[in-house]
Amino acid sequence: MSKELVINSSSSEVVIALLEDKNLVELNKEKNNTNFAVGDIYLGKVKKIMPGLNAAFIDVGYEKDAFLHYLDLGHQFRSLDKFLKQALDSKQRVIQISKFHLEPDIDKNGKIQQVLSEGQSILVQVAKEPISTKGPRLASEISIAGRNLVLIPFTDKISISQKIQDNEERDRLKKLIQSIKPKNFGVIVRTVAENKRVADLDSELRELVLKWEGAFVNLKNKPPKLVLGELNRTTAILRDMLSSEFNNVYINDKTLYTETREYIKAIAPEKEKIIKHYNRNQPIFEYFGLEKQIKALFGKTVAIQKGAYLVIEHTEALHVIDVNSGNRSQSGSNQEENAIDVNSVAAFEIARQLRLRDMGGIIVIDFIDMHEPDNKQKLFEKMKEYMASDRAKHHILPLSKFGLMQITRQRVRPEMNIQTIERCPSCNGSGAVNPSILLIEELENHVRWTLQNYKYKKVILKLHPFIAAYLTKGLFSISFRWKLKHLRRLKIKESNSNAFLEYYFLDSRGDKIFL
């Protein structure tokens, strides 16, 4: 399986598309200067204790207070709290954790008011980004992720990824980490660390420890304050997913391209050449056919194969997916075989849709009814197989007697929601349009007004390909006559994403000009 990343960077956001065998499987949007991303570490302040919930609300600078449950404090919270107080005390020098005396673990069945009080400063990490009307979800069991290792302060536990199945390699890695890790630091060994040299792991471990210690150097400010930020979404995805299956990473922004290439050079030098700068005139998502895939995959109805389709509904409590055979029900004489065929294809597409839309919480799937228990079990096994590559934690239940499958999937950031149904740009939803014969006159009036009122050296007119072809056909085309008339540079640009009579004016940087 080949994997590619296509990254579209603009002034307001970065959109990251993950392709597997040219098919879109994940789409991430990251607003520029976004805070409160998963993994960010904050110095917060306890605003309110909620004994009934056994939780507290923490001020981390977001418009709504963040939520911290007692069970997310971590066993070694007393050690973290003591260490933080020393760091905040200007009279004391922050000592290294390896020389720090750990406090006893907190009671796993304890109460929040036994360990926290209102107004107290607390070190927390974002476990779930703000979603809808809720603030961030926090944890106080801090971890710092690297390419091969995850560092966990105030513990001595070493864990090896379950995906490393070779017992000899597991023993080698455990002994290796035991020999190089500082005291009072726990380590999780990630899957990509398999067969890595001791020098590489030792170097990364030292970097993670320095990163942790560096966060406390200037920790004298009052909360709320960002102490240690996670990597941006692009480098975080590459850090967590980069493997031999990755073939190319295309980036349309020169600065982001340079930063990403430097990062890859540091963590995996052999993969540096897969980072490529895209500098064509055509928008990067259009060039790779992603605009069409996005429009087809994010609607309420998603077509699968040979007439079958999914209907995806979102409610406040859960997501509902209905599998329909469509005109497949008219072909074939065996209903059971037809149901198996459609359900298998639907299971593959549903697994992709969950990743693509980042749907979390409870998902209920209404598959086409099957009568044979063996067929129901086969479908359950196929669903587990198709979701094995999903990085989000999930749990799948077998089909119920009503033919429903239930899935729970971890949600750490808002669901990706893209509107694919567009308001008619010609009538603006009214159902009535101006005579099409007047379109060219309307365009010329807007061209003249734009060139006269905005003193740009170059203006781009973005149109549907059919209209663009009409304006540029012939030696003395309409667009050529407009240029001669106004003595200014006017570029006609085709765009498949434009509706038939929709058009925009852009400046030389590609920013929209509002008429």
Side-chain angles (χ1 to χ4, degrees):
M1 180 188 296
S2 66
K3 291 183 179 180
E4 294 177 316
L5 272 186
V6 180
I7 301 169
N8 181 21
S9 177
S10 65
S11 57
S12 60
E13 65 181 6
V14 178
V15 186
I16 307 158
L18 172 63
L19 282 67
E20 292 181 356
D21 294 334
K22 304 297 182 182
N23 293 316
L24 181 64
V25 293
E26 284 189 25
L27 192 67
N28 292 278
K29 285 189 177 183
E30 181 183 24
K31 296 287 184 183
N32 289 340
N33 301 318
T34 298
N35 292 325
F36 311 104
V38 173
D40 286 350
I41 299 173
Y42 281 86
L43 176 65
K45 183 178 182 180
V46 180
K47 290 297 291 293
K48 194 172 184 180
I49 303 292
M50 304 294 289
L53 297 174
N54 204 16
F57 285 101
I58 313 295
D59 177 15
V60 290
Y62 188 65
E63 58 191 36
K64 291 183 177 290
D65 290 337
F67 183 80
L68 174 66
H69 195 273
Y70 180 84
L71 295 177
D72 294 322
L73 287 173
H75 297 302
Q76 285 288 342
F77 177 76
R78 286 197 177 95
S79 298
L80 173 64
D81 187 47
K82 179 181 175 182
F83 188 84
L84 178 63
K85 287 176 180 176
Q86 288 186 5
L88 293 173
D89 188 347
S90 58
K91 296 179 181 179
Q92 287 190 331
R93 184 175 62 86
V94 180
I95 65 172
Q96 295 179 339
I97 291 186
S98 56
K99 300 176 182 178
F100 184 78
H101 176 70
L102 296 183
E103 296 295 308
D105 290 0
I106 62 172
D107 182 5
K108 64 178 181 180
N109 297 315
K111 301 297 181 183
I112 192 80
Q113 60 268 31
Q114 296 172 342
V115 291
L116 291 182
S117 57
E118 292 185 8
Q120 176 181 343
S121 295
I122 181 173
L123 200 67
V124 289
Q125 188 167 31
V126 178
K128 188 181 290 187
E129 293 179 11
I131 297 174
S132 185
T133 58
K134 299 177 181 177
R137 177 76 182 257
L138 306 175
S140 264
E141 192 166 19
I142 309 298
S143 62
I144 304 174
R147 167 72 173 153
N148 302 291
L149 308 171
V150 179
L151 184 72
I152 306 175
F154 307 108
T155 179
D156 279 309
K157 187 177 179 181
I158 299 173
S159 301
I160 311 293
S161 169
Q162 295 295 324
K163 293 182 180 178
I164 301 177
Q165 297 179 347
D166 187 334
N167 289 329
E168 288 187 7
E169 177 63 10
R170 292 176 67 86
D171 290 341
R172 182 189 80 89
L173 288 169
K174 190 165 187 176
K175 290 176 182 177
L176 190 158
I177 297 300
Q178 282 176 335
S179 66
I180 62 174
K181 83 171 187 65
K183 185 182 177 184
N184 295 337
F185 279 108
V187 175
I188 298 173
V189 181
R190 308 182 75 169
T191 309
V192 290
E194 190 171 8
N195 299 319
K196 286 290 172 68
R197 299 179 307 157
V198 61
D200 294 334
L201 299 180
D202 182 53
S203 174
E204 182 172 309
L205 186 59
R206 290 174 184 272
E207 288 179 11
L208 294 176
V209 171
L210 286 173
K211 198 174 181 181
W212 163 262
E213 292 176 346
F216 290 88
V217 172
N218 297 313
L219 197 65
K220 306 300 179 185
N221 298 31
K222 293 182 179 180
K225 177 190 177 184
L226 176 64
V227 174
L228 194 61
E230 174 62 295
L231 297 169
N232 63 52
R233 190 73 56 84
T234 305
T235 48
I237 288 175
L238 286 170
R239 179 194 67 197
D240 296 341
M241 297 183 60
L242 189 65
S243 66
S244 59
E245 295 175 339
F246 260 95
N247 300 103
N248 298 294
V249 177
Y250 298 98
I251 305 174
N252 67 340
D253 181 77
K254 186 68 175 178
T255 304
L256 184 59
Y257 158 78
T258 304
E259 292 174 357
T260 306
R261 193 177 175 99
E262 288 298 317
Y263 177 74
I264 294 298
K265 187 177 180 180
I267 67 168
E270 72 282 359
K271 284 287 183 180
E272 182 186 357
K273 292 181 180 179
I274 71 171
I275 312 298
K276 298 175 181 178
H277 181 225
Y278 176 87
N279 56 4
R280 297 173 182 265
N281 291 329
Q282 188 177 6
I284 187 169
F285 272 21
E286 281 190 22
Y287 179 80
F288 287 99
L290 293 176
E291 288 287 356
K292 185 176 180 181
Q293 288 197 53
I294 290 170
K295 294 289 184 183
L297 293 171
F298 276 90
K300 176 182 175 181
T301 303
V302 179
I304 37 182
Q305 289 183 12
K306 298 178 182 178
Y309 61 94
L310 306 175
V311 178
I312 303 176
E313 294 276 6
H314 308 282
T315 72
E316 190 69 24
L318 46 80
H319 308 278
V320 182
I321 303 176
D322 184 35
V323 180
N324 289 275
S325 58
N327 57 27
R328 287 284 290 266
S329 58
Q330 300 172 9
S331 61
S333 55
N334 190 320
Q335 181 187 357
E336 187 79 2
E337 287 183 8
N338 191 60
I340 295 166
D341 195 15
V342 173
N343 285 340
S344 298
V345 175
F348 177 82
E349 182 59 37
I350 289 167
R352 177 162 77 139
Q353 286 288 327
L354 297 186
R355 290 177 64 188
L356 187 60
R357 303 186 188 214
D358 205 6
M359 292 160 62
I362 301 172
I363 301 107
V364 178
I365 307 165
D366 182 12
F367 283 105
I368 297 171
D369 289 340
M370 297 183 294
H371 302 292
E372 296 293 333
D374 287 347
N375 293 333
K376 293 181 179 181
Q377 181 62 27
K378 285 178 183 177
L379 180 61
F380 173 58
E381 296 296 334
K382 276 186 176 293
M383 197 73 210
K384 290 199 294 185
E385 177 190 339
Y386 294 147
M387 290 195 66
S389 58
D390 194 336
R391 291 178 294 139
K393 294 177 182 177
H394 58 270
H395 183 66
I396 307 170
L397 294 180
L399 286 166
S400 70
K401 64 179 181 179
F402 299 115
L404 302 176
M405 180 179 287
Q406 298 173 67
I407 299 174
T408 59
R409 187 176 182 274
Q410 182 187 32
R411 179 169 65 174
V412 296
R413 55 180 61 92
E415 177 193 346
M416 178 64 65
N417 186 21
I418 296 176
Q419 289 292 335
T420 57
I421 297 176
E422 301 169 349
R423 176 181 289 223
C424 174
S426 304
C427 69
N428 202 27
S430 67
V433 298
N434 293 326
S436 56
I437 196 171
L438 301 178
L439 174 66
I440 301 304
E441 289 184 16
E442 178 188 323
L443 272 173
E444 185 175 9
N445 289 334
H446 282 151
V447 167
R448 183 181 66 253
W449 188 89
T450 303
L451 293 177
Q452 289 176 353
N453 289 275
Y454 294 95
K455 301 299 182 182
Y456 295 119
K457 294 181 180 179
K458 177 183 176 183
V459 172
I460 301 167
L461 177 55
K462 189 177 178 183
L463 297 147
H464 188 277
F466 290 177
I467 308 299
Y470 179 77
L471 293 176
T472 56
K473 71 174 182 178
L475 184 61
F476 294 99
S477 64
I478 295 173
S479 62
F480 180 73
R481 295 200 299 270
W482 287 350
K483 292 176 189 176
L484 288 178
K485 186 175 181 179
H486 301 289
L487 298 175
R488 299 281 289 282
R489 291 183 65 191
L490 175 69
K491 181 178 179 181
I492 305 298
K493 185 175 183 179
E494 299 179 4
S495 174
N496 289 318
S497 61
N498 275 46
F500 184 59
L501 300 180
E502 185 180 24
Y503 58 88
Y504 300 111
F505 286 92
L506 309 173
D507 61 23
S508 57
R509 296 177 299 177
D511 294 331
K512 187 175 178 180
I513 299 173
F514 293 95
L515 301 177

